């Protein structure tokens, strides 16, 4: 296991990208932050290199010369050597269908081109932190003015105690453990509620509405990402950018 990622901040990152300029920008910025980066220009190069020496994270373009990055993603998720490697899709294809498809096939996050480099690097850091699993197991989960104690099912938002049902609590805990990460309704059913197909996706919408109402002002950070799903905005200042 790549413990170095947690201890030293150095991670091995695979950049799957066929545009040389874009690949170099990513490589430069990752190396500047102390990471090791390798550039893979095609689907076949990615599928040869990544499973044999799994990196700590993959940045994945969608339109590649010999196929779709989404198919690469699917193969990586189906291979037990790479099933858990964080993957961030970096693509000019910002259309909802591609993004939802990518998230449902197991991408951890996505960034659309053109992007701000510091934002992408922040997402890289967040994905590497999540890989350690520290936040999820912590005694309490905190995101800004929302905090939860999972063992006691306690929620405090904006300084006030909030009473949530079991499903509402599980959903909110999932968002607080993964701030600024977008989840599709399907992902929320499976990952947060463990409900599989028993829960209809519109049930998620109803839960979100109730959670927002119960949280009051802090609930406004639970943002709708149109056509995709929901995310918890970490910093209230960012909420206007959506
Ligand atoms: Ca491309």
């Amino acid at each position: 296991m790549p413990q170095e990622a947690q201890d030293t901040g150095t991670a091995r990152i695979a950049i799957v990208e066929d545009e040389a300029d874009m690949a170099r920008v990513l490589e430069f910025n990752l190396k500047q932050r102390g990471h090791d980066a390798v550039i893979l220009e095609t689907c076949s190069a990615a599928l040869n290199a990544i499973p044999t020496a799994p990196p700590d994270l993959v940045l994945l373009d969608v339109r590649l010369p010999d196929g779709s990055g989404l198919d690469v993603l699917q193969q990586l998720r189906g291979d037990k050597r790479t099933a858990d490697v964080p993957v961030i899709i970096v693509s000019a294809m910002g259309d909802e269908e591609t993004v939802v498809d990518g998230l449902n096939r197991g991408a951890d996050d996505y960034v659309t081109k053109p992007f701000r480099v510091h934002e992408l690097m922040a997402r890289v850091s967040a994905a590497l932190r999540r890989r350690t699993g520290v936040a999820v197991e912590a005694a309490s989960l905190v995101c800004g003015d929302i905090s939860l104690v999972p063992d006691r099912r306690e929620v405090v938002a904006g300084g006030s105690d909030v009473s949530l049902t079991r499903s509402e609590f599980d959903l909110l805990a999932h968002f607080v453990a993964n701030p600024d990460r977008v989840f599709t309704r399907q992902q929320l059913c499976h990952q947060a509620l463990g409900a599989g197909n028993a829960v209809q996706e519109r049930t998620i919408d109803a839960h979100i509405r109730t959670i927002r109402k119960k949280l009051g002002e802090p609930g406004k950070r639970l943002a709708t990402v149109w056509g995709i799903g929901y995310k918890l905005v970490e910093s209230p200042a960012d909420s206007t950018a959506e």
Side-chain angles (χ1 to χ4, degrees):
M1 293 297 285
Q3 289 302 316
E4 314 85 61
Q6 189 180 353
D7 299 338
T8 69
T10 299
R12 288 181 58 247
I13 297 175
I15 302 165
V16 183
E17 173 62 74
D18 61 313
E19 293 158 56
D21 289 347
M22 175 63 70
R24 272 197 291 271
V25 166
L26 295 173
E27 181 187 36
F28 174 81
N29 280 280
L30 291 169
K31 288 190 169 170
Q32 212 178 27
R33 286 160 176 80
H35 300 307
D36 292 327
V38 57
I39 297 170
L40 303 163
E41 296 176 6
T42 60
C43 294
S44 59
L47 290 171
N48 279 328
I50 293 173
T52 50
D56 297 306
L57 183 122
V58 177
L59 296 177
L60 182 64
D61 186 22
V62 174
R63 284 185 181 156
L64 292 162
D66 58 342
S68 166
L70 295 182
D71 294 331
V72 172
L73 172 63
Q74 190 155 351
Q75 293 207 40
L76 294 178
R77 285 294 174 255
D79 184 328
K80 66 175 187 292
R81 294 171 294 179
T82 54
D84 297 327
V85 173
V87 174
I88 300 177
I89 292 176
V90 184
S91 171
M93 303 172 74
D95 65 286
E96 293 164 2
E97 228 170 278
T98 304
V99 170
V100 170
D101 194 13
L103 292 172
N104 284 336
R105 290 200 210 191
D108 293 81
D109 203 353
Y110 74 94
V111 174
T112 51
K113 300 168 184 169
F115 54 82
R116 287 172 297 174
V117 169
H118 72 265
E119 187 199 334
L120 175 58
M121 293 301 137
R123 287 171 182 272
V124 166
S125 299
L128 291 170
R129 274 201 308 274
R130 280 197 298 271
R131 183 181 166 83
T132 67
V134 175
V136 181
E137 301 302 329
S140 63
L141 295 169
V142 180
C143 178
D145 53 0
I146 302 172
S147 63
L148 297 83
V149 184
D151 288 349
R152 285 179 266 153
R153 302 234 148 218
E154 288 174 358
V155 183
V156 177
S160 305
D161 291 332
V162 178
S163 174
L164 298 181
T165 65
R166 186 184 177 85
S167 293
E168 290 161 5
F169 186 96
D170 289 342
L171 277 171
L172 184 62
H174 197 65
F175 283 112
V176 170
N178 299 280
D180 282 330
R181 186 170 166 193
V182 181
F183 295 100
T184 65
R185 290 166 181 80
Q186 190 185 338
Q187 284 179 316
L188 292 168
C189 290
H190 288 270
Q191 298 172 9
L193 302 182
N197 298 322
V199 169
Q200 292 190 319
E201 295 187 1
R202 66 172 174 271
T203 308
I204 297 289
D205 296 332
H207 283 320
I208 298 280
R209 276 196 300 275
T210 311
I211 295 168
R212 280 180 181 146
K213 197 186 292 180
K214 287 182 175 178
L215 293 185
E217 191 65 26
K220 292 180 180 169
R221 289 198 283 124
L222 202 47
T224 301
V225 182
W226 295 109
I228 301 173
Y230 298 99
K231 73 173 180 179
L232 180 63
V233 179
E234 185 156 24
S235 148
D238 287 349
S239 59
T240 52
E242 285 307 311

